[in-house]
Amino acid sequence: MQNTEYSDGTLVKQTLAGDQAAFEMLVRRYNTPIFNFICHLLNDYDQACDVSQQVFTQLYISMPTLRTGEPLKAWLFQVARNRCLDELRRKRAIHFSELESAHDDEELSPLAIIPDGGPLPDELAERSDLKSKLREAIDVLPPKFRMVVLLRYTSQLSFAEIGKTLSMPEATAKTYFQRARPLLRASMSQHWQPRTAHSAS
């Protein structure tokens, strides 16, 4: 059977009825975007493998209590995010409080009001040599913007799904994303200047 023929809710019900293939189909449906998201956050392939497995184990355990009328994507990314924060907190590599959702309207960098005239970050990322630069630019965003941008660019979540994942209103997720774009553009501007002949020295 095709991976896209059945809704998440149907596959959950089939899994609960003892159909192991239904659960494998759910894992195949979400494994790649979830793994990419975890890998980007942790920057550690082996650890990302472990955490990804934990996420799907938690899905299996939680199935009896899940609401089956809506897609699992936002729930899975929320679990993945929480697991990653646990790992990062354990490593003490970041200040945990920085990654908590902040809904206040704190002062923005002056870069955030730069007119929106240059190429968009996702257009820039089409050039493979810039994908690593986009990742670096995302990594230095203010923490509350970083998670929204990660979910949007690396996992292609809708703003409604991002809102559910991060427990914030959809409008807030959209606002954070729009405010992050000029910061990304400014961070990457040095990399997309046309490459001309080497300047004479």
Side-chain angles (χ1 to χ4, degrees):
M1 57 182 153
Q2 290 297 315
N3 199 5
T4 54
E5 276 182 17
Y6 297 92
S7 71
D8 290 354
T10 298
L11 293 174
V12 168
K13 288 173 184 172
Q14 290 177 350
T15 302
L16 290 172
D19 184 353
Q20 199 61 35
F23 181 70
E24 290 168 7
M25 197 177 292
L26 275 174
V27 173
R28 282 198 303 274
R29 181 174 289 176
Y30 291 114
N31 185 54
T32 299
I34 290 287
F35 178 79
N36 288 343
F37 172 66
I38 294 169
C39 205
H40 195 122
L41 270 184
L42 299 180
N43 202 21
D44 183 321
Y45 181 87
D46 291 333
Q47 194 176 28
C49 291
D50 291 341
V51 173
S52 182
Q53 190 169 14
Q54 291 170 22
V55 170
F56 288 105
T57 300
Q58 188 165 338
L59 169 63
Y60 194 83
I61 293 169
S62 303
M63 276 189 173
T65 60
L66 288 178
R67 285 181 296 178
T68 55
E70 54 191 53
L72 294 173
K73 186 190 284 187
W75 184 90
L76 284 167
F77 275 98
Q78 190 170 39
V79 172
R81 170 183 176 264
N82 291 340
R83 293 280 184 173
C84 288
L85 292 181
D86 287 344
E87 292 297 326
L88 292 169
R89 193 197 302 134
R90 199 170 294 127
K91 285 173 150 182
R92 300 182 184 277
I94 56 164
H95 297 295
F96 179 64
S97 60
E98 286 186 355
L99 281 177
E100 285 296 282
S101 298
H103 295 179
D104 58 320
D105 229 1
E106 64 194 42
E107 190 176 340
L108 292 166
S109 158
L111 292 173
I113 57 173
I114 291 175
D116 201 2
L120 298 178
D122 43 351
E123 293 166 355
L124 296 176
E126 290 302 315
R127 289 168 49 180
S128 59
D129 61 325
L130 289 175
K131 287 189 177 178
S132 63
K133 300 299 180 188
L134 177 58
R135 174 176 176 148
E136 289 170 17
I138 291 173
D139 286 344
V140 298
L141 283 172
K144 68 177 186 178
F145 294 167
R146 188 186 311 147
M147 197 68 74
V148 172
V149 172
L150 265 178
L151 289 167
R152 182 70 174 171
Y153 278 142
T154 68
S155 307
Q156 285 81 52
L157 266 66
S158 69
F159 288 113
E161 290 166 340
I162 293 171
K164 285 182 184 177
T165 300
L166 300 180
S167 303
M168 65 171 63
E170 178 182 348
T172 303
K174 196 173 293 186
T175 299
Y176 283 3
F177 181 74
Q178 295 301 335
R179 289 176 176 175
R181 286 165 79 112
L183 301 178
L184 285 173
R185 187 173 295 106
S187 180
M188 295 184 68
S189 61
Q190 58 185 315
H191 303 297
W192 57 264
Q193 298 298 342
R195 290 183 180 169
T196 53
H198 293 295
S199 55
S201 49

